[in-house]
Structure formats: C-alpha cells, structure tokens
Amino acid sequence: MKKVNAVFCLLLALTACSEKQESTYPSRKSITESVYASAQVTPEEQYKVFASVSGFLQAIKVKEGDEVKKGDLLFVISNQPTFNNEQNARLNYEFSKELLVGKGNVLDELKLNLESAKVKMNTDSLNFWRFNELSKKQLCSQTELENAKTVYLLSKNNYLSLQQQINRKQKELDTQLQQAKNNLNSSSLKTDDYLIRASISGEVFQLNKEIGELVNVQEPLALLGNNSNFRLDLMIDEVDISRVAIGQLVLITLEAYPQKSFEAKVVEISPKLDEKTQTFRLKAHFTKSPPKLFMGMTGEANIVVNAHLKSLVIPTEYLLSGNKVLTENGKKKVRTGLKNWSYVEILGGINEKTKILKPAK
C-alpha cells in the first residue's frame, strides 16, 4: 500500500513539473481608472401630482402612458356643495349683469323718466318765461305768474332728483356686479381645487388612485414626467466621492441592454451624504444613449476618474503583493500607477522586454 502511495505522489510531482508556466511581456495600452456607482434612469423633469383638498375621487381623465399638456384635466374630486355654490354665484353674476347692461335694465327705465322730466321742465320753463313777460306788460295777474314759477321749479327739482337717482343706481348696480364677480371668482377658485390639472407637459408614468378612493393632501395621485429627456441618477460610496468631479466620463451598462455600453458625463454632485444608504447622489447626462429609454431602468456605472494613453501595463493577475512581479530571475519590485480590474500601469522596475511569469494559484 505504501509503495502505491509513493508512486502516486511521484506521478503528481512529475505532472506539475511538466506543466508550462504562463508568461507575458509588458505592453503599451490606454488604461483608465474608475469608481463604481449604481445607476437609474430618471426623467429630467418630473413631479408628483398632489391634491390641495380632500375628498373622494370622482373621475380619472387619463391613463398610464398618456401624453398630456400643461393645464390638461387629470382628476376630479367630488364635492357637490362646492359645485352648487359656484353655480349659484354664476347665476347671481349673470342676474347682476342683466340689471346693469341687459335688455330692459333698470337704468334704461330711469333714463326714460329723466328724458320725460327734462321735456316737462323745459315746457314749464318756457311757460314761466311767458308769464313773466306778460307780467311786465301787466297782462296777467301776480298769482298766475307765481303759479307758473312754482310749476317750473317743481319740474326742475324733479329732473335733478331723477339725475341723482340714476347716478346712485348706477353706482349701486356697479357695486353689485363687482361683488357678484368677486363671489364667482372665489367660488371658481374653490371649485378648481377639486379639478386637478397637469402642471407640466409630458407622460403619465404612474397612477396611484382608483375612482371612489379617498384622496388626501399627503398622498400623490400620480407621477408625471418628460419622456423625451432623461438623466442618470448615480449612487456612489462615500469612500470614492473625493475622486469624482463634474465633467468626468461615465460608462454605463443597463439591464435592458446587457451587451452594450453607453456614455454619459457627470453634471451634478450632491453635497450631502444620504444617511440611509450611506452614499452620495450624482446626476449624469447621456452623451451616447440607448435608442429607447424608460423611467426606472437600472444598471451599473463606472466613473472614469483617471486615464493614461499608451501606458506600459501588465495584466492585474501578474502583480504580486508588495508591488512585485515574478521574472525568470526571481521576484522584482515595480513602481505602479493606475489600476483597474484588467491591468496595472507600470511606471518603473521593468520594461517591454522583461518577461514576467504568472504566479501559481
């Protein structure tokens, strides 16, 4: 039995010695150093739709995926007393307007009376003048003159009184109409609170309520956004944040496009750490984007923090601990630069003619 074990061990040793050790030479390549970030596609412009009043959802005028324009009606919240108040205010406004400028309005009637009073006043004035001329010639009595004067003065006072009535009525009707208009505007504003409209143009990404459900001011009814302009929200670990700067290149891979890579640039860096995730949030804009994007797409991002062209590099797996490489003459110390998953930049210690051996696993 012992002889068999000895022979087996000898065979293993001979096999190991016969295996040829892998080797390579340093080569010139462009090398980049990057930091990792998780990525999510987000509309550049989006907002959550909230109601300003509570009530029951009476109608939903859109569905998910619909295109809407700013001002389009999205939801109707039920509140019949408010709608009734608006209708009453509108009727009161129309009535006040009719009294002021409508057919057969009050002022027209008063103006007809004023015109009649003016004719009578002019007639009585002329009659008084005639009696006054006759009196000078002693062709009428003093009593007749006084009667003519009295009739004229009464006509004149009646005319002036009607003028004042018309002025007062004009102001009264103007005030009533303005008050009715103010009440209508106030009622319309209250009614508008129950009509939820779009604040931006875009796509309805999500609806959160169904008809008949209770609506309050704290829960969003929907999510709207611009479906033609997307950005990337990146989450980066706090240990890497000091290496990131605005304008840096971002290489993106998305779950929806697993075999492709896209490019973006960092445009914004949040100055505050998210305490829940212990990450910083970055924003990036695509420079080379996928043919079609959807809100919520996820992927991975590598933010290029450094890049060197035509650098001397070796495969990462050839580098030993302590920044050493294995040559035919034994281990040799090297000076390194940029590093990534594939390559290590060599700044000194070996050259392109140095043969290096792959360390055994």
Side-chain angles (χ1 to χ4, degrees), residues 99 157 162 179 183 188 223 243 248 253 262 265 275 294 316 330:
L99 288 178
N157 290 339
L162 285 172
Q179 289 176 341
N183 290 335
S188 297
L223 178 65
R243 307 176 68 191
Q248 287 176 334
T253 56
F262 306 98
K265 279 191 176 182
E275 296 179 358
F294 294 90
T316 304

Side-chain angles (χ1 to χ4, degrees), residues 35 81 90 142 173-174 222 227 233 235 245 289 292 295 355:
V35 295
R90 189 175 301 279
Q142 189 65 28
L173 292 175
D174 286 339
N227 60 0
D233 284 343
M235 303 292 285
S289 65
K292 198 168 186 179
M295 179 181 180
K355 184 178 180 179

Side-chain angles (χ1 to χ4, degrees), residues 2-3 24 32-33 47 67 81 109 189-190 210 328:
K2 291 182 178 179
K3 290 182 178 180
T24 189
T32 60
E33 187 177 17
Y47 87 105
E67 294 282 339
E109 183 179 350
L189 289 174
K190 291 179 181 179
E210 295 182 358
E328 293 177 311

